[in-house]
Each structure stands twice: as structure tokens, then as C-alpha cells.
Amino acid sequence: MLSIIAFFGVLGNITTGLVYLSPAKTFWRIARNRSTEEFESIPYVFKLLNAYQWVYYGIIKPNSLLVATINGFGAVVELLFILIFLMFASSQRMRVRTAILFGVLDLVFPAVSFLLMQLMLHGQLRIDISGLFCVVFSMITYGSPLSAMKTVAVTKSVEYMPFLLSFFLFINGGVWTVYAFLTKDYFIGIPNGTGFLLGTAQLILYAIYMKPKPSKKISDNLEDGWKHEPLIPASNLVS
């Protein structure tokens, strides 16, 4: 049983890593053009916060090192994305807003919440409260596809719902759901089970509305799907 759990844990690390890295092309474009254009920073601020929560959960819960390691990697990736965003913000207003959100949500809030949990909570209660934080922020993360799916249904076009991102979210949610079932960890299972269902729905919509021969314009825009991402995309995510 332990070998099966380890297998799905390692597989989950790989798929989650791909989800975390999926916006890399967007940030390469930002760095190349030295401008964030109309891209939003809010999703990445929340993803970094989500990664922090899972790192803490993976550290304090026994036998959950694989949860901590991949989200530690994700935290580094999201931090780099935010720093790039701050460097090349298209306006001073965008830079200031991103800096404030980053300071409050990614520095002050996690520091205060982790300190309070360490000082005031103990044992299983600390793990449960940390797990609840993880579920809340993961559900916010997984809620972002709802807006994209609505856009697809209204426009009858998958132009702003990149296939690879939807596919990786589907695989990632499924792998971590199996891992959660094997380890009986409902804090991992609830958000990732939801992510698996949303990923399935996205792929179904993609199959319904994809065009056999998309125009050059649509092909170019597919890689920029994150530009139109709502409040928050993977993972992650747990995970």
C-alpha cells in the first residue's frame, strides 16, 4: 500500500509541477516585451498564498512530505512570477496594487496565521485548522475555471481556455483525488475532487466547441489564456 501511495504522491508532484509552470510562456512574453500589458497579477498572488498553506500543512502533518515539497516548488515559481510582474508592470498603479496585495496576502497574512497556529493550536487541531485553510484557498483557486467555462458557453469558442491547462488540471485533480482516497486525507480530496470534476467539464466543453482548423489569431491567443484569467487558475492547486 505504501508503494502505491508513494507512486501517486510522486505522480501528483509531477502533474502539479506542470500546472505551476503552465503560465511560463506568458511570463516569458512579459519579460520579452518588458510590459505586463493587460495581464492581471491577482491570480498569482492567490496561488502563492495557496502554495504557502499547503507547504505548512505538509510539514505539520505526518507522512505528507510530498505535499510540502511540490508546493514549496510552486511557491518559488509563483514568487518569481510576481517579481517579474512587479518589474515589468505596465503602469505605476498596477505595480503599487500588486505590491500591496503581495505584502498583505503573501507576507503578513501567512506569517500571522502560521504564528498563531503554532502558538495557540496543538496536535490534530492544528492539522485540521491548517487543512481547512488549504481547502478554502484551493477552492478559490479551482473556482477560476467557472468564469472561463461561462465564457466558452456564451461565445461558443475555446479561444481563452487553453487545452493543455485544462488537461493538466484534469490529470492533477484526478491523481491527487486518488492519493487522498488512499491516505484518507479529505483536506486533499475535497478541493482536488472538485478540480477533477471541473477539469472534466472543461474538456467536455473543449470537445464541443473546439474548431478543427482555428485561425492564426485564435492560435496565438490560446497561449495567452492566462491573460483573461479571473480572480484566481492549479492546483493547485494542492496540490
Side-chain angles (χ1 to χ4, degrees), residues 117-130:
M117 282 190 282
Q118 283 294 120
L119 295 177
M120 301 178 65
L121 303 175
H122 303 279
Q124 188 61 43
L125 180 59
R126 179 191 294 164
I127 295 173
D128 290 344
I129 296 299
S130 175

Side-chain angles (χ1 to χ4, degrees), residues 182-217:
L182 293 173
T183 59
K184 295 180 173 56
D185 191 324
Y186 299 109
F187 293 122
I188 293 177
I190 292 172
N192 284 284
T194 302
F196 175 74
L197 294 176
L198 288 172
T200 302
Q202 286 187 68
L203 292 179
I204 292 173
L205 281 176
Y206 200 95
I208 293 173
Y209 293 115
M210 71 176 182
K211 297 179 180 180
K213 294 182 179 180
S215 66
K216 179 65 168 61
K217 179 180 179 181

